[in-house]
Amino acid sequence: MVVQADDAVFRPVRAGNPFEETVERLLQAIKLGVVVPGDRLPPERELAARLNVSRVTLREAIHALTEAGYVESRRGRYGGTFVNEQLPKPRRTTAKRLARDLADGLDDALTLRSVLETGAAETAASRELSSGERDHLERCLADTSAARLADYRRLDSRLHLAIAEVTGSPSLTSAMADVRMRLNELLDAIPLLERNIQHSNQQHTAIVDAILAGDPEAARQAMQEHLSGTAVLLHGFLA
């Protein structure tokens, strides 16, 4: 059974900072492509129950994201809260400033990503995937390969999250969502390079092919090679 990414993202928030964590969960869903531009968020009552927050807290979080330009509310029979077709552009932090703020955080983030994502690829390839899971991976791969530059980061994130989904582990999918948000903050500080995107798409294909072929070692190696390329770029721009 595929672990739905929205279940991993819309999980109960921890006590202490319900408003802030609700905003974080909603941003995760949008920035990782779990809900895409034009999509409607789950109904308010359902979403508040899934996040384990009051409807007042949820409304406050949605209001904050409305003011920030991520969502809009529509009234009427087909109303609800919808993700805006045009999302705010990521705020570009200068590489020099981010490197200073990170200290040892870059290596820490890359190590965590390597452990999670190589393990996810290997585990996914070890499972007997259903036809729905296989279609899900292939669809996410096709979307990423055909992505416009402006959409690439989001669809790339969605593909990596899809690999975690088909491991069948809700905990791993949640952890992947968290580390991907952390990684995207780093990636947003460096330019998107056309040649690197082409190479990444080739590597994505190798990873998914290995998973679909049921070859855990090849899936792990292909993912490690892919992650190493990203790590080299991040070190080059930020270290």
Side-chain angles (χ1 to χ4, degrees):
M1 180 183 68
V2 65
V3 178
Q4 296 298 326
D6 63 345
D7 290 334
V9 173
F10 296 136
R11 63 191 187 277
V13 305
R14 292 164 294 187
N17 299 291
F19 168 74
E20 290 81 3
E21 289 208 23
T22 299
V23 171
E24 179 188 30
R25 294 281 194 274
L26 297 177
L27 281 175
Q28 273 191 336
I30 295 168
K31 291 186 176 183
L32 298 181
V34 176
V35 287
V36 302
D39 273 3
R40 182 171 58 182
L41 292 177
E44 183 181 286
R45 184 186 300 274
E46 174 192 337
L47 191 52
R50 292 171 70 177
L51 293 171
N52 195 31
V53 297
S54 69
R55 295 176 72 174
V56 171
T57 296
L58 177 61
R59 287 170 187 159
E60 289 174 344
I62 289 174
H63 178 69
L65 293 184
T66 300
E67 290 191 329
Y70 285 95
V71 300
E72 65 174 354
S73 295
R74 303 176 190 169
R75 298 184 180 278
R77 182 178 179 184
Y78 300 104
T81 301
F82 291 80
V83 180
N84 286 336
E85 293 287 353
Q86 294 295 325
L87 297 175
K89 291 184 178 180
R91 185 172 55 188
R92 176 66 60 85
T93 304
T94 66
K96 184 177 181 180
R97 176 184 170 187
L98 188 56
R100 183 181 66 246
D101 293 345
L102 280 172
D104 296 326
L106 175 57
D107 285 333
D108 178 62
L110 292 175
T111 297
L112 179 59
R113 185 195 189 196
S114 178
V115 171
L116 288 175
E117 296 220 34
T118 56
E122 182 177 22
T123 301
S126 301
R127 294 184 67 238
E128 186 71 34
L129 301 184
S130 68
S131 59
E133 289 172 325
R134 298 173 73 88
D135 289 346
H136 182 47
L137 275 182
E138 291 175 337
R139 183 169 58 254
C140 288
L141 175 63
D143 289 345
T144 305
S145 298
R148 299 179 305 155
L149 201 63
D151 298 327
Y152 189 80
R153 193 82 76 212
R154 175 173 54 82
L155 292 173
D156 175 45
S157 297
R158 189 66 188 90
L159 172 60
H160 282 263
L161 197 56
I163 293 171
E165 287 178 283
V166 300
T167 66
S169 169
S171 296
L172 177 58
T173 306
S174 295
M176 281 277 288
D178 290 341
V179 78
R180 186 70 200 200
M181 285 293 287
R182 186 177 174 189
L183 178 70
N184 281 357
E185 182 180 357
L186 305 177
L187 291 172
D188 285 340
I190 70 174
L192 278 167
L193 306 176
E194 190 69 37
R195 181 66 187 91
N196 174 248
I197 289 176
Q198 294 172 3
H199 190 209
S200 290
N201 284 337
Q202 294 168 358
Q203 291 174 328
H204 286 154
T205 299
I207 294 164
V208 171
D209 284 350
I211 292 172
L212 296 179
D215 191 335
E217 183 58 31
R220 184 181 189 88
Q221 289 181 357
M223 180 63 82
Q224 185 59 63
E225 180 179 334
H226 176 53
L227 300 183
S228 294
T230 302
V232 167
L233 276 182
L234 285 170
H235 272 293
F237 279 102
L238 302 179

